[in-house]
Amino acid sequence: MFTDAHAMARKFADGTSDPLRALEDALQASQGVPAAFIRMSEERARREAAAAQKRWQAGQPLSLFDGVPLAWKDLYDLAGCVTTAGAKVRLSNPPAMCDCALATALSRGGLVSIGKTNLSELAYSGLGLNPHFGTPGNLDSNGQMRAPGGSSSGSAIAVAQGVVPIAMSTDTAGSIRVPAAFNGLVGYRSSGKRYSFVGVTPLARSLDALGPITNSVRDVIAVDNLLLGDPCGLPLDAPGLPVAGLRLCVDSELLDDPRIQPEVKANLLAAVARLASAGAVVEYKQVMAFTQALDAIEHIGWLGSAEAFALHQGLLDSPDAEQLDPRVRQRLEAARAFPASQQVRLYQAADALKQQIARELDGAFLITPTVAHVAPLLAPLEQDAKLFALTNLATLRLTMPGSMLDMPSVAMPSGTGEAGMPTSLLVSSFSGDDVRLLRAALAIEPHVRGVER
């Protein structure tokens, strides 16, 4: 049984642990994960944990997760902390005056904010490298360092290394799903309008989405409830959708792409076979809306690059541009000449394809690899800018269409591949279908993992 926030909360309830002990464990564990955090908020965390402990002792917790420690990607404002977005150039910015809307919501549930996690600079990479604050480590079975995945690198490493069971993250092209995949975690990219963006530093607002990285789908559901209020989400005891009769769509043509590593494909097909044995109805067909989104991104361009350039043009035109990670600066500058006509064509294509994917799925859930490969070796990426650029594009290739189509998605570990590194499966639906997706993911998860819950 994997450890998650539910398991931690049960220990609070039965008295075998408490919020202050959990916080001390988290703070101690954080010291063993260099570069996962940009800033710790120990004073705040101790205050929150002490208050949670008193509530548990009185038998009056604010929520199921009262006292559970969590971390925030450093795009989310926390009162009194500078929001760096992983950029050295922002260190001199004034601290946030108040918490972002999502931190306010989770604080009302009693969760304990221990600090701000590292990320790719300005959230603009799927690999997670950061020359200013360091790159969090992701060791393989041979003891070699692998890319942590980005942009939510520190969030994923903090959860994977047991510092916190929940890390709030953001996703524009795959920044929740990719690091979850590289670290054997569950990552939820919500529909773009599901949560409030107040107090969150954007990258490309038409594509940005929010969500947690966790160890389980049930933790995702509990966080979703707290963020929206219980009446708006799933009841805590809500069952998954019945696997028998659950309709799943697998694009065989997509899986036949030689860029998908054999273990990634084999683990996905094994998981689908287990689901079929449990009664799921699996349809193998090409999903044209997804294919057309892939083609549009490859042949027309990526909306996120145009929007990110527009957002950061003032920085790029200033002397402070010299302080940027050269890899990030180069990617941002590449969109300087992005024609407005191409941008409009992409907006129009996205609008049409969002409607098309809902019609094509017709109530089924799309199953794809989250990433075509396991986490790549880190050292070659640090040494070779061209390899970095090519690998970054390859890493984000299968998550970018879901962002373009605003598909809520849940990444979950499906097994292991090269050097014992995790592989990952992504289950997705059409924009706005989050509640049904989460119920499906809850039912699918044990079959994908190949374990009993």
Side-chain angles (χ1 to χ4, degrees):
M1 176 66 182
F2 47 89
T3 300
D4 60 4
H6 273 78
M8 181 180 288
R10 277 201 305 272
K11 292 181 178 180
F12 295 168
D14 66 22
T16 57
S17 185
D18 58 64
L20 282 172
R21 194 183 314 173
L23 173 60
E24 291 304 324
D25 289 344
L27 294 176
Q28 183 175 358
S30 71
Q31 297 175 16
V33 284
F37 287 84
I38 288 177
R39 173 174 176 153
M40 304 302 292
S41 51
E42 286 191 36
E43 182 179 345
R44 170 180 178 151
R46 292 185 191 283
R47 184 175 65 249
E48 291 176 335
Q53 182 146 325
K54 290 179 181 178
R55 291 190 292 267
W56 277 106
Q57 289 170 344
Q60 296 179 326
L62 292 175
S63 75
L64 175 71
F65 285 175
D66 197 355
V68 169
L70 84 157
W72 296 87
K73 182 178 183 178
D74 201 9
L75 293 177
Y76 290 90
D77 286 351
L78 289 184
C81 296
V82 174
T83 303
T84 70
K88 182 174 65 174
V89 71
R90 292 175 63 101
L91 281 171
S92 59
N93 284 10
M97 296 295 291
C98 58
D99 284 352
C100 64
L102 298 196
T104 298
L106 293 187
S107 291
R108 286 191 187 122
L111 279 82
V112 175
S113 296
I114 75 163
K116 311 281 286 292
T117 56
N118 199 358
L119 64 152
S120 307
E121 185 177 44
L122 303 176
Y124 206 43
S125 158
L127 295 172
L129 282 64
N130 189 309
H132 311 303
F133 301 102
T135 298
N138 182 15
L139 283 174
D140 65 19
S141 61
N142 298 322
Q144 293 185 291
M145 199 68 76
R146 300 266 173 165
S151 61
S152 308
S153 54
S155 293
I157 294 300
V159 176
Q161 296 300 316
V163 181
V164 289
I166 302 164
M168 290 303 301
S169 306
T170 68
D171 189 309
T172 303
S175 289
I176 289 172
R177 293 161 287 171
V178 169
F182 280 0
N183 292 277
L185 301 170
V186 172
Y188 167 48
R189 181 218 183 264
S190 65
S191 294
K193 294 182 179 179
R194 190 160 182 81
Y195 304 133
S196 170
F197 279 80
V198 173
V200 182
T201 301
L203 177 62
R205 189 59 194 89
S206 76
L207 300 164
D208 291 344
L210 311 177
I213 293 176
T214 69
N215 280 305
S216 67
V217 175
R218 65 181 183 175
D219 278 5
V220 169
I221 291 172
V223 170
D224 182 65
N225 283 340
L226 289 167
L227 291 174
L228 296 176
D230 288 351
C232 303
L234 285 171
L236 289 177
D237 59 352
L241 292 176
V243 174
L246 190 68
R247 294 176 53 227
L248 307 175
C249 184
V250 178
D251 191 326
S252 297
E253 190 164 322
L254 181 73
L255 282 181
D256 287 339
D257 190 314
R259 287 171 287 190
I260 296 177
Q261 289 181 345
E263 298 94 339
V264 173
K265 178 179 178 179
N267 290 344
L268 182 148
L269 290 175
V272 170
R274 289 192 292 270
L275 286 159
S277 295
V281 178
V282 182
E283 183 176 2
Y284 294 89
K285 68 172 185 179
Q286 187 173 24
V287 181
M288 292 307 301
F290 195 87
T291 299
Q292 288 168 14
L294 275 170
D295 290 343
I297 293 164
E298 183 176 352
H299 296 112
I300 303 176
W302 175 236
L303 268 175
S305 61
E307 292 187 21
F309 173 78
L311 178 67
H312 294 297
Q313 183 174 359
L315 171 59
L316 291 168
D317 291 343
S318 76
D320 285 341
E322 294 296 329
Q323 297 184 54
L324 292 173
D325 177 353
R327 294 166 297 216
V328 170
R329 184 181 181 184
Q330 182 179 13
R331 287 190 68 216
L332 287 167
E333 284 288 359
R336 187 178 284 274
F338 200 102
S341 59
Q342 281 185 225
Q343 193 168 348
V344 170
R345 284 173 62 197
L346 286 168
Y347 284 129
Q348 292 171 338
D351 287 343
L353 291 173
K354 286 174 191 175
Q355 298 177 45
Q356 183 180 330
I357 194 75
R359 291 194 302 268
E360 281 193 76
L361 291 178
D362 188 30
F365 297 96
L366 180 62
I367 303 292
T368 61
T370 307
V371 187
H373 53 261
V374 299
L377 290 169
L378 180 59
L381 300 173
E382 293 176 321
Q383 296 161 6
D384 187 333
K386 183 177 180 181
L387 177 65
F388 173 91
L390 291 173
T391 306
N392 185 62
L393 186 60
T395 297
L396 295 169
R397 180 176 178 270
L398 294 180
T399 51
M400 291 166 81
S403 295
M404 181 178 177
L405 305 183
D406 191 32
M407 300 178 76
S409 307
V410 177
M412 56 187 75
S414 60
T416 57
E418 175 188 316
M421 297 305 294
T423 62
S424 179
L425 174 152
L426 191 69
V427 54
S428 307
S429 189
F430 59 88
S431 181
D433 195 32
D434 296 69
V435 170
R436 206 173 62 93
L437 170 75
L438 290 175
R439 288 190 66 198
L442 188 63
I444 288 170
E445 181 182 24
H447 300 277
V448 173
R449 290 179 182 268
V451 298
E452 293 297 325
R453 288 289 301 274

